[in-house]
Amino acid sequence: MRKIMVAGNWKMNGSKAMVSSLLDGLLHGLGEQPGADVVVFPPFPYLPQAQEILTASDIAWGGQNLNPEEKGAHTGETSASMLLDFGCRYVLTGHSERRALYGETDADVARRFEAADQAGLVPVLCVGETLEERERGETESIVDRQLDAVLQQAGIAPFARAIVAYEPVWAIGTGKTATPEQAQAVHAFIRNKFASLDGTIAGQLRILYGGSVNGSNAADLFAREDIDGGLVGGASLTVEGFLSICHSVHSRD
Ligand code: PGA
């Protein structure tokens, strides 16, 4: 059975003091063998600090983005090998804030996803529709298009390891969580799409939900058949907020 994953996307938040107290708090609060795979995504400058604190723990860490090129004249960018240098196992690709605020196209996201996979990182591919798109009834076609761009670039094989995060844009940072029914419907759509390509991969693929996940709604979301955990923004910035989500996971074994 797919193990639940709880991932904290810190976005552009943090300080040395905050990183150390947050991670120490998580290490103490999670206990031995948490029921979920737990991952944090700090801003780049704090990756060495995360590595130092989390090495030899059950908590993994990753980058919030990467550049698909190996190295060279790309001021301000970070490569897969740099993330690997600091022990990252995961990397976010195609977060809606990258798409909306920094102009990442489906093609850009696909290249980043492929570069991450080829370098040995586990890409977390974020997809999701805006409110206008949902209201126009386009949720499935938008998610389909975002997935197809990556499938055409990288093929199905990387999804034996990669993770998909369904994050409706209207639910991110708004306090408006998708209902478990709404989220489950899109997750089932995503899994069915993969099933039409490769049944084994589809059955193993972890599909996280993201968008205003908190300690009060996580258990209901994670109880749905095709919701394999959460990608958490705001609530991942405090020890209590993140732990309450991690502790609402019931083992699926
Ligand atoms: P949120 O962010 O939990 O603050 O809505 C989720 C995300 O952007 O990954």
Side-chain angles (χ1 to χ4, degrees):
M1 195 56 198
R2 301 178 298 269
K3 190 170 182 189
I4 296 278
M5 171 175 279
V6 179
N9 172 15
W10 296 359
K11 310 190 180 186
M12 196 172 72
N13 294 292
S15 64
K16 279 207 257 186
M18 178 268 210
V19 171
S20 125
S21 66
L22 180 51
L23 293 180
D24 285 342
L26 295 182
L27 283 177
H28 284 108
L30 269 180
E32 302 269 302
Q33 297 186 323
D37 284 339
V38 178
V39 187
V40 292
F41 292 93
F44 291 141
Y46 301 108
L47 288 173
Q49 197 183 350
Q51 180 180 32
E52 200 179 305
I53 297 172
L54 298 178
T55 293
S57 82
D58 285 328
I59 304 177
W61 59 97
Q64 295 176 13
N65 193 16
L66 82 164
N67 188 282
E69 301 299 326
E70 278 174 31
K71 61 178 178 174
H74 295 278
T75 303
E77 295 293 294
T78 301
S79 69
S81 67
M82 294 171 186
L83 297 178
L84 289 164
D85 235 0
F86 288 95
C88 290
R89 178 137 174 246
Y90 299 92
V91 64
L92 300 180
T93 55
H95 189 279
S96 65
E97 286 150 21
R98 299 297 319 169
R99 295 177 190 262
L101 304 176
Y102 298 97
E104 284 184 24
T105 63
D106 287 343
D108 292 328
V109 173
R111 279 196 298 275
R112 285 162 201 253
F113 177 98
E114 186 181 41
D117 174 66
Q118 289 181 348
L121 288 160
V122 177
V124 179
L125 171 62
C126 305
V127 297
E129 83 288 0
T130 64
L131 185 58
E132 297 70 43
E133 289 162 345
R134 173 164 281 263
E135 284 171 349
R136 286 200 299 263
E138 293 172 2
T139 298
E140 292 188 357
S141 64
I142 295 293
V143 169
D144 203 43
R145 189 202 75 212
Q146 292 171 334
L147 293 173
D148 274 341
V150 175
L151 285 163
Q152 276 159 23
Q153 174 83 27
I156 178 86
F159 288 92
R161 292 189 318 127
I163 291 162
V164 173
Y166 168 58
E167 297 207 301
V169 178
W170 48 272
I172 294 179
T174 58
K176 284 191 212 143
T177 324
T179 63
E181 292 72 26
Q182 284 174 319
Q184 165 60 28
V186 181
H187 283 231
F189 168 78
I190 294 170
R191 197 175 308 284
N192 286 338
K193 177 176 175 65
F194 281 94
S196 71
L197 300 168
D198 187 310
T200 307
I201 286 179
Q204 292 168 357
L205 177 68
R206 284 197 282 194
I207 308 174
L208 312 184
Y209 167 78
S212 299
V213 175
N214 59 42
S216 312
N217 57 34
D220 277 351
L221 286 159
F222 301 169
R224 299 296 156 136
E225 188 182 349
D226 291 297
I227 303 181
D228 306 313
L231 180 55
V232 185
S236 72
L237 294 172
T238 63
V239 174
E240 309 71 52
F242 199 56
L243 283 180
S244 66
I245 297 168
C246 296
H247 288 150
S248 59
V249 171
H250 299 289
S251 172
R252 283 177 157 180
D253 300 333

